[in-house]
Amino acid sequence: MSARKPVPGRKLAAKPVVKAPARKTAAKKAASTNAAAKRAGAKKAARRFEASDPILTEIIRNGVLAVTEEMKSNLMRTAYNMIIYEALDFTVGLFTAEGDTISIGLGLPMFIRGMSETVRAKIRHFGRENIRPGDILVTNDAYLTGSHLNHFTFSLPIFFEGELCAFACCMAHWPDVGGTLGGVTTDIYSEGLQIPMVKYQKAGVVNDDLVDIIRMNVRDPDRAMGDLRAQITAVTTGERRFGELLARYGRIETLSAIRHIMEQSERAARARTRDIPDGVYEATSYMDDDGVDIGKRIPIKVKVIVSGEDMTIDLSEVAKQVRGFYNSGETTGYACAQVAYKCVTSPTDYPINEGSFRSLNVVLAPGTIVSAVKPAAMRWWMTFPMTIVDTIFKALEAAIPDRVIAGHHADLLSVRVHGIAPRTGAFFMGSFGPLGGGWGAKMTEDGMSATVCLNDGDTHNSPVESVEAKYPLFIERLSLRDGSGGAGKFRGGLGIERKVVARVPMTLNAQVDRVHCAPWGLDGGMDGFGNEVTVLLDSGEVRDAPNAKVFMQRLAPREGFYARSGGGGGFGSPLERDPARVAFDVEEGYVTRESAHDDYGVVLGQDGRLDEAATIALRAKLAARAA
């Protein structure tokens, strides 16, 4: 067993990272070389504030939020692939000259650590003295970003008055980076093109050799180059707008206000941590399998230690890295802890910044499913981490039941297809945005229905019309999944059922988990339904994938599949739910009549009306049986 050691949440070791390029001509060199920052630097701020001025602090707080929001908007408006402009599978951010998070745009919570660690790694790799105006740094190193090779991360240094003041950064998902199309990968080398930390652009001049390497290794280079240019648009937007803040309010004053914001966030997080009773809290859950050793469960064990205003989240006993492609790098291990900590200490404190995590320590052991080392496969990196966050909440239920939720469906339910379009002869490769599903109930309210999984935060599902317009698919059904939420005093949210029919021959791959490790209830609440994938063949045969994993399944026209997301777990005993609310749930289709009777102890007449006397008697009988 590897030695375990606590690592402060704000001092993480990271490997060198690779950069991603953006193409520009030599004629545009001058315009690329931090022109906006140089123009801004030539001016003196019209007004100077004291370093700790509270008015300036609030102006800068909203200013950096506005910058990252504009970066996000410009990326969406210029990207070529639906996974960016519809599903919003990306995150943008501003970082200090040391790589600490200033503000990240709402996006994927699991990017929260990968982006800052990528900036820090680039600083270490190149040396601060070798990062100059007009440089753009890029990488898709999966072990550094913590995710998979599909995530290209571009970082642009922001200079003002000759000083490196910050970085603008953008991490976004490219649908294809080469590699095998289907099946389960078992090492990183089969998953596509690996770009180490390099300069996509140096002093305003694009590295065309790097661009050519990327173009040669992707299946749709035009779209890839479009997304690349969109990411460059995002980081240059951040450079320009942050430079304007520096020019208007002063470099020293603006950076001082940012430090003040981080200190405020730190104080808020520490205060909320002090409210949690000291103690050691543990919980265990499981994943179905790794896609290679089918049916072999993957254990998830977490430990949370609270001492005063400090919290330690120990993930050293989660499963060792697996042979299949569900591993992620250590920055995702830290992100799991940070996402859970943010949710229970300062969920509405914006901007999301480094200060919020200074009272959090994270313990990782090398070579686990959230600290994998090369050559572990990483393609489906996002699946296990969200269950780890769920399990941290499960552990903390004993201490702060009012701040946690029951288990949720915890999977993207993202199903991929590829084939040749007969009409054009062109290759197509499509995937659906996150399907959404049921979230767990809280101590005081029902769980949310049809909501994207925890990992994906601000991402969206793909509109039916967009999918049908771009791919030879027909979405025959998209609806809530009846009765899928776990029963409880407050019930879990409902999952979604989607039926898809192929219009041309194609190949199907599904990598879904949490079929058997259903979303759990808390404090007497019942489990929700697990996730499901069902293949529908023209012969009439129906194949329920026992673990929701389907690899290289050929579909003929008119064949298809169902993807069903799980429901959330319930919170509290179902016998404590208001019978009138249960009757309403049955009328709306949220709860089945059978569940109303068997789980909630509610008796309804043929007309759906509540029989109060019979309900009291049935609940007494069920309570006695449970005792």
Side-chain angles (χ1 to χ4, degrees), residues 17-65:
V17 190
V18 183
K19 300 88 178 157
R23 184 183 293 269
K24 275 194 178 178
T25 65
K28 296 182 179 178
K29 174 180 176 180
S32 320
T33 312
N34 279 332
K38 284 188 173 181
R39 287 194 302 270
K43 304 175 184 176
K44 290 292 183 181
R47 177 182 177 190
R48 297 284 178 173
F49 291 80
E50 293 295 327
S52 60
D53 191 304
I55 296 176
L56 176 63
T57 298
E58 290 308 303
I59 290 173
I60 299 303
R61 182 193 308 277
N62 288 279
V64 295
L65 283 169

Side-chain angles (χ1 to χ4, degrees), residues 120-162:
R120 289 174 180 146
K122 290 171 179 175
I123 296 170
R124 290 193 298 270
H125 178 73
F126 291 103
R128 191 161 167 161
E129 68 281 3
N130 296 317
I131 298 175
R132 299 185 175 91
D135 289 352
I136 298 180
L137 320 176
V138 65
T139 188
N140 73 334
D141 183 342
Y143 304 99
L144 175 60
T145 66
S147 54
H148 52 192
L149 299 177
N150 301 74
H151 286 149
F152 271 67
T153 305
F154 290 84
S155 306
L156 172 59
I158 302 173
F159 285 82
F160 186 83
E161 296 177 344

Side-chain angles (χ1 to χ4, degrees), residues 297-301 315-322 327 367-371 384:
R297 295 198 302 177
I298 312 296
I300 307 289
K301 183 177 181 181
L315 302 179
S316 61
E317 294 188 63
V318 300
K320 292 297 183 182
Q321 64 189 54
V322 294
N327 302 292
T368 73
I369 52 175
V370 286
S371 58
F384 288 6

